[in-house]
């Protein structure tokens, strides 16, 4: 019965995706790039000016208070969802379908997206609420309903996020784990799926605090292992790296292969795949990381905005770039039979032998598993926004576990396409919201910079801004 239901669901998702994905992404590209450029310019290139401050805020944000997350834990939880399959399978898919030039458009998406990430996470901090146990929660649904006074828009975003992170993205993570472990150890998808369901259940029934503890331990370790391997491989081929980077830039502006849609030849496959996979990987402007950002205890909303901005840089400009160069330095690029995880695994096999296949399978288990629990943390916050009842949350957790198994046993094409579609819906709602709330972002940034220039440790006092205290539900947090 379960097998038949998942098969019917796969067919339904395939039909939905085939009819709405292309036109939806035409709209998403305009809003995504436009919003990123808007905040980049209006904040005076915050990505550059306050980049050193973002490192300080992340590194020294380790002190905890009550049940709230530290800034570092919130950074790690956000990075847990960012750094994962998108950095390995997503990059490979982008290159396989869009060519080397897709990597350039991933960089562009990340660079301008850092300003969007800064804006959304700053807003999430300002409009967060505090639970009875002292922990914080928030995100786009919270700043939409408080800042824009639109419950309909807030609920729409919450539902979109739940489908994207609770269901679609977790299906992608599980599907990628199955692909990697089948290639390395010939593990069967059904058994891997069941194991993932059990391991995920052990974490998600422990609450978001446990998720943060696990993420803050796993993420630095897994990222370090992967980057060490990447540095070793890049060191073996240093003389070839300039040529690889040159080919990436040249291919980025090759519009011979159009992506289709209403843009026609104006958007190449490289651009489309780079933007899609870039957004999947770094989530800048999508509205996901603010859910983790809101859970942190900081003295100023901008502090956590800077921390989450740094996460976008680490994800795409460092981890994704390493994966791309590893693939492009191998002799497997251009093989149409190799996509996603398989392409990255065969690239590692080319560089370091059979060990590379097993190494990536192990690392991917850590990447994807931490992403599953990070994704769940985002979705749970929005479930609580819609209906904060124990029975409702329990049912949601069961649905999450079902989609973990669904992703493990169903087609990779369907799972990725489903993720692309719901991701676009979620991003559009959030990007429109932060554009409408941009004056508040500018006001908070000016307050932070004013205190920074005077030699103070920035600390936000909402009493200085009575117009904001009227809109912030839990304004006592900032007194």
């Amino acid at each position: 019965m379960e097998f038949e239901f998942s098969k019917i669901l796969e067919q339904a998702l395939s039909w939905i995706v085939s009819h709405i994905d292309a036109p939806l992404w035409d709209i998403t590209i305009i809003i995504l790039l436009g919003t990123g450029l808007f905040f980049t310019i209006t904040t005076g290139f915050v990505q550059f000016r306050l980049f050193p401050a973002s490192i300080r805020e992340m590194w020294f944000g380790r002190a905890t208070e009550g049940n709230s997350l530290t800034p570092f834990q919130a950074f790690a939880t956000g990075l847990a969802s960012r750094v994962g399959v998108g950095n390995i399978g997503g990059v490979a898919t982008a290159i396989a379908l869009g060519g080397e030039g897709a990597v350039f458009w991933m960089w562009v998406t990340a660079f301008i997206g850092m300003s969007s990430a800064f804006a959304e996470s700053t807003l999430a901090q300002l409009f967060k609420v505090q639970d009875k146990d002292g922990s914080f929660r928030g995100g786009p649904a919270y700043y939409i309903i408080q800042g824009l006074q639109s419950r309909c828009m807030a609920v729409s975003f919450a539902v979109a996020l739940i489908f994207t992170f609770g269901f679609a993205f977790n299906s992608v993570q599980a599907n990628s784990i199955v692909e990697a472990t089948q290639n390395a150890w010939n593990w069967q998808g059904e058994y891997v799926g069941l194991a993932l369901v059990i391991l995920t259940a052990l974490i998600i029934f422990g609450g978001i605090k446990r998720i943060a503890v696990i993420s803050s331990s796993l993420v630095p370790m897994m990222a370090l292992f992967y980057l060490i391997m990447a540095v070793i491989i890049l060191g073996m081929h240093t003389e070839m790296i300039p040529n690889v980077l040159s080919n990436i830039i040249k291919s980025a502006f090759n519009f011979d292969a159009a992506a289709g849609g209403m843009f026609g030849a104006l958007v190449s496959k490289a651009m489309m795949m780079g933007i899609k996979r870039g957004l999947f990987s770094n989530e800048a402007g999508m509205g996901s990381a603010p859910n983790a950002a809101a859970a942190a205890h900081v003295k100023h909303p901008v502090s956590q905005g800077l921390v989450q901005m740094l996460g976008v840089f680490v994800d795409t400009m460092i981890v994704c770039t390493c994966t791309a160069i590893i693939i492009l330095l191998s002799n497997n690029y251009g093989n149409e039979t190799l996509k996603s995880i398989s392409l990255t695994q065969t690239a590692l096999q080319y560089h370091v032998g059979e060990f590379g296949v097993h190494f990536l399978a192990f690392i991917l288990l850590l990447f994807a598993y931490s992403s599953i629990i990070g994704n769940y943390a985002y979705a749970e916050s929005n479930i609580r926004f819609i209906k904060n009842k124990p029975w409702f949350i329990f049912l949601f957790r069961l649905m999450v576990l079902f989609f973990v198994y669904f992703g493990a046993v169903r087609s990779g094409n369907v799972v990725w396409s489903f993720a692309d579609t719901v991701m676009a819906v979620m991003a559009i709602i959030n990007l429109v919201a932060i554009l409408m709330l941009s004056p508040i972002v500018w006001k908070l940034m000016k307050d932070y910079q004013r205190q920074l220039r005077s030699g103070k440790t920035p600390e936000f006092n909402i009493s200085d801004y009575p117009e904001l205290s009227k809109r912030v539900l839990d304004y006592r947090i900032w007194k």
Side-chain angles (χ1 to χ4, degrees):
M1 178 67 69
E2 181 181 21
F3 175 82
E4 288 300 322
F5 178 73
S6 65
K7 187 175 182 179
I8 293 171
L9 180 60
E10 179 180 8
Q11 293 171 346
L13 292 177
S14 297
W15 185 89
I16 293 172
V17 166
S18 65
H19 283 77
I20 68 173
D21 186 65
L24 188 62
W25 269 98
D26 287 337
I27 299 170
T28 304
I29 286 177
I30 296 173
I31 299 177
L32 179 68
L33 298 182
T35 302
L37 287 171
F38 175 79
F39 278 109
T40 294
I41 294 170
T42 58
T43 59
F45 288 81
V46 66
Q47 307 95 309
F48 286 128
R49 292 189 305 101
L50 295 181
F51 189 79
S54 70
I55 297 176
R56 289 195 302 270
E57 293 285 2
M58 183 276 295
W59 188 251
F60 293 105
R62 292 173 176 269
T64 188
E65 179 171 309
N67 289 321
S68 61
L69 305 186
T70 67
F72 179 77
Q73 285 178 329
F75 170 79
T77 303
L79 205 58
S81 185
R82 284 193 179 108
V83 179
V85 169
N87 304 91
I88 301 175
V91 173
T93 302
I95 293 174
L97 300 179
E100 302 105 307
V103 180
F104 174 84
W105 293 109
M106 291 184 76
W107 293 340
V108 171
T109 303
F111 171 69
I112 65 174
M114 287 173 71
S115 64
S116 301
F118 165 78
E120 63 184 358
S121 292
T122 298
L123 289 169
Q125 266 291 320
L126 176 66
F127 291 101
K128 67 185 179 183
V129 297
Q130 190 168 23
D131 288 327
K132 294 179 180 179
D133 63 355
S135 63
F136 299 113
R137 56 187 166 89
Y142 295 80
Y143 58 66
I144 288 172
I145 196 168
Q146 295 178 60
L148 298 178
Q149 301 294 306
S150 175
R151 180 166 181 81
C152 180
M153 187 178 182
V155 172
S156 296
F157 175 84
V159 171
L161 185 143
I162 290 164
F163 271 85
T164 302
F165 281 85
F167 307 149
F169 280 12
N170 279 345
S171 294
V172 168
Q173 305 295 338
N175 187 271
S176 299
I177 289 176
V178 168
E179 182 180 350
T181 53
Q182 280 182 340
N183 292 338
W185 307 311
N186 199 31
W187 288 0
Q188 295 301 308
E190 294 84 355
Y191 298 118
V192 173
L194 288 173
L196 285 174
V197 167
I198 294 171
L199 291 173
T200 302
L202 292 175
I203 296 297
I204 67 176
F205 281 96
I208 191 170
K209 185 67 175 179
R210 181 179 293 181
I211 291 172
V213 172
I214 295 294
S215 297
S216 62
S217 301
L218 274 181
V219 172
M221 178 183 69
M222 69 183 183
L224 180 62
F225 286 164
Y226 186 71
L227 289 176
I228 288 174
M229 174 63 76
V231 169
I232 292 173
I233 293 173
L234 268 57
M236 295 164 54
H237 305 281
T238 52
E239 73 285 353
M240 298 174 62
I241 293 177
N243 186 54
V244 169
L245 295 176
S246 176
N247 288 338
I248 288 174
I249 296 173
K250 289 178 182 178
S251 300
F253 299 95
N254 179 5
F255 290 87
D256 291 340
M262 70 178 182
F263 291 121
L266 294 178
V267 176
S268 66
K269 285 186 178 179
M271 186 177 181
M272 180 64 80
M273 291 308 303
I275 293 173
K276 278 188 176 183
R277 296 285 74 83
L279 181 60
F280 178 88
S281 179
N282 61 54
E283 302 170 17
M286 190 191 300
S288 51
N291 294 273
H297 174 75
V298 293
K299 295 182 178 180
H300 200 289
V302 168
S303 298
Q304 197 61 32
L306 293 173
V307 169
Q308 295 301 335
M309 182 182 78
L310 180 63
V312 175
F313 178 85
V314 172
D315 171 88
T316 305
M317 306 308 293
I318 297 179
V319 185
C320 285
T321 299
C322 286
T323 300
I325 294 177
I326 288 172
I327 292 172
L328 297 176
L329 284 172
S330 72
N331 65 348
N332 297 302
Y333 165 65
N335 186 339
E336 294 183 358
T337 63
L338 296 175
K339 296 179 183 179
S340 191
I341 302 302
S342 298
L343 178 57
T344 311
Q345 281 185 305
T346 53
L348 282 175
Q349 186 178 30
Y350 170 82
H351 294 298
V352 297
E354 192 66 25
F355 168 75
V357 177
H358 301 287
F359 172 80
L360 189 63
F362 173 72
I363 289 295
L364 191 71
L365 280 172
L366 297 180
F367 272 134
Y369 181 61
S370 68
S371 291
I372 287 174
I373 59 179
N375 292 345
Y376 171 80
Y378 293 157
E380 183 191 279
S381 176
N382 285 269
I383 278 289
R384 291 183 182 277
F385 172 81
I386 295 174
K387 195 174 185 68
N388 193 11
K389 297 292 183 181
W391 66 267
F392 193 65
I393 296 169
F394 179 79
L395 290 177
F396 162 69
R397 288 171 176 170
L398 294 181
M399 287 292 293
V400 169
L401 296 178
F402 167 78
F403 273 94
V404 168
Y405 184 78
F406 174 82
V409 299
R410 307 317 303 177
S411 165
N413 289 335
V414 170
V415 169
W416 277 96
S417 297
F418 173 43
D420 280 342
T421 302
V422 292
M423 173 175 67
V425 174
M426 174 180 159
I428 289 172
I429 299 172
N430 180 63
L431 291 167
V432 170
I434 63 175
L435 281 172
M436 295 173 71
L437 293 169
S438 56
I440 296 177
V441 177
W442 304 331
K443 188 173 296 186
L444 293 172
M445 188 181 69
K446 288 179 181 178
D447 182 80
Y448 180 90
Q449 290 180 295
R450 175 181 56 79
Q451 296 185 55
L452 206 61
R453 284 193 296 266
S454 64
K456 299 178 181 178
T457 299
E459 186 169 349
F460 183 66
N461 188 340
I462 202 168
S463 300
D464 297 334
Y465 300 92
E467 72 279 11
L468 291 181
S469 61
K470 296 176 182 179
R471 303 170 74 176
V472 176
L473 178 65
D474 212 343
Y475 63 89
R476 291 169 298 178
I477 295 172
W478 301 110
K479 278 192 171 183

